Amino acid sequence: MRSILTALAAVIFLIIGIPLLGIEWLIGKVSPHARDISSLRLVQGIFKIMLFLSGVKLTVIGEENVPKDQTVLYVLNHRSYYDIFIVYSRCPGLTGFIAKKGIGKIPLVKPWMDRLYCLLLDHDDKRASMRTILTAIDHCKNGISIAVCPEGTRCRSDDDTELLPFHEGTFKIATKSGVPVVPVTMNHTSAIFEEHMPWVHGTHVVLEYGKPVMISDLSPEDQKFPGEYFRGIMTEMLKKNEDLPAK
C-alpha cells in the first residue's frame, strides 16, 4: 500500500505540476525571487508527503549547523533514491541538486529541475561534466546552494557505513565559489526501498548535518584532497549513528 500511495502522489504532482509551472512563470514576471521560493516550497511539500506516505521517520542531528543566511555546498552519502527527498525537503533556502543525466529523462521531471536550478551530470562526458561544475559554481556565487553526492553513484555495499571514493572535482564548487561545505549523512535509507524493490517499507532514518567547513581553512594537504578529508568526517558520522534502529 505504501508503494502504491507514494507512486500515486508523485504522479498526481507531476500532472498538476504542468499548470503549476505556468503559474510559477507568471509569478516570476512580477518577482523572480518569489517564484524561486514558491517553487522550492512546492517541491519540498510533495517530498514531505511522499516521505510520510512511505512511513519514513527521521531522527535529525545537527540541523542547527546549516547556515540559514549563507550559500553552502551540501555533500551527502548516497544509498537510496530517497536520499534526495530527505535532504531536499529540509533545505532552508534555494538549492539546486546535481543528479545523473538519466533523472532528466523521467517525464515531466526536468521542467521542475530546471525551475529549481538543478543540474544533470554526465560522468561519461568530461567536457559536459566540467560545464556542469562551472554552472554550479556560478549558482553558488549567485546565492543558490548546491547539493551533491560526491560518490557519483549509489553505494550498494551491505555495510551501511561504507562510502565509495569521493570525486575530488566535486569540491571545486566550494573552492572556486568560496562557500562552506556542509557534510550530510543518512543511515538506513536503503532499507526504505532498495533492499526490497519494488516495495516501500517504513524505516527510521538518521539524518546528520556536520559543521560547515571552509576548504581554505584546512591544512595544505587536506586542501589538495578535500574529498578524502570529508569522506573521513562522513564515515565517522555514519559509524556514530550506525546502532540507532532502522525500524
Side-chain angles (χ1 to χ4, degrees):
M1 182 60 70
R2 285 194 176 106
S3 305
I4 295 171
L5 290 175
T6 303
L8 187 60
V11 170
I12 290 174
F13 176 78
L14 290 174
I15 293 173
I16 66 174
I18 297 172
L20 283 176
L21 283 168
I23 294 172
E24 293 296 291
W25 179 81
L26 290 174
I27 294 173
K29 289 295 183 179
V30 178
S31 172
H33 178 70
R35 173 203 61 199
D36 288 344
I37 297 301
S38 174
S39 296
L40 173 68
R41 300 308 179 212
L42 279 170
V43 171
Q44 288 180 322
I46 187 58
F47 283 177
K48 289 176 181 178
I49 290 171
M50 291 173 67
L51 291 171
F52 173 77
L53 294 175
S54 298
V56 175
K57 296 181 180 179
L58 283 177
T59 292
V60 183
I61 303 170
E63 195 162 22
E64 68 277 4
N65 291 325
V66 180
K68 302 300 187 292
D69 56 356
Q70 184 180 11
T71 304
V72 303
L73 175 68
Y74 298 96
V75 292
L76 46 142
N77 66 310
H78 189 25
R79 296 183 61 84
S80 171
Y81 295 117
Y82 273 79
D83 298 338
I84 295 174
F85 304 153
I86 292 168
V87 174
Y88 203 79
S89 66
R90 306 187 73 88
C91 291
L94 191 61
T95 304
F97 218 106
I98 296 181
K100 282 185 175 181
K101 67 174 184 177
I103 299 295
K105 296 179 181 179
I106 301 175
L108 305 178
V109 167
K110 193 171 186 304
W112 281 105
M113 293 185 69
D114 292 340
R115 177 80 293 287
L116 291 170
Y117 303 95
C118 295
L119 302 170
L120 297 175
L121 187 64
D122 184 355
H123 290 292
D124 297 325
D125 188 332
K126 291 185 178 180
R127 288 187 178 181
S129 296
M130 181 55 65
R131 288 195 296 270
T132 298
I133 296 298
L134 291 174
T135 302
I137 292 169
D138 287 340
H139 283 351
C140 285
K141 289 180 177 179
N142 290 320
I144 303 165
S145 294
I146 293 293
V148 63
C149 304
E151 294 170 279
T153 189
R154 284 190 297 116
C155 180
R156 293 170 171 81
S157 170
D158 292 335
D159 183 353
D160 198 49
T161 68
E162 185 174 336
L163 293 169
L164 299 174
F166 282 11
H167 292 277
E168 293 289 348
T170 300
F171 297 88
K172 291 183 184 294
I173 299 170
T175 56
K176 297 297 184 181
S177 64
V179 303
V181 178
V182 176
V184 183
T185 58
M186 289 162 284
N187 289 73
H188 313 312
T189 54
S190 60
I192 304 171
F193 181 64
E194 280 72 16
E195 292 178 6
H196 33 69
M197 290 191 288
W199 309 117
V200 172
H201 287 193
T203 303
H204 173 205
V205 172
V206 183
L207 169 65
E208 180 169 7
Y209 298 90
K211 293 183 178 180
V213 178
M214 293 294 297
I215 291 181
S216 58
D217 291 338
L218 300 179
S219 69
E221 183 64 21
D222 287 333
Q223 288 186 42
K224 290 181 182 178
F225 303 102
E228 278 304 299
Y229 174 83
F230 285 101
R231 186 169 181 258
I233 288 179
M234 292 168 66
T235 297
E236 291 179 6
M237 292 164 64
L238 287 167
K239 288 182 177 180
K240 176 173 66 71
N241 299 326
E242 180 182 13
D243 293 333
L244 292 178
K247 300 276 178 140

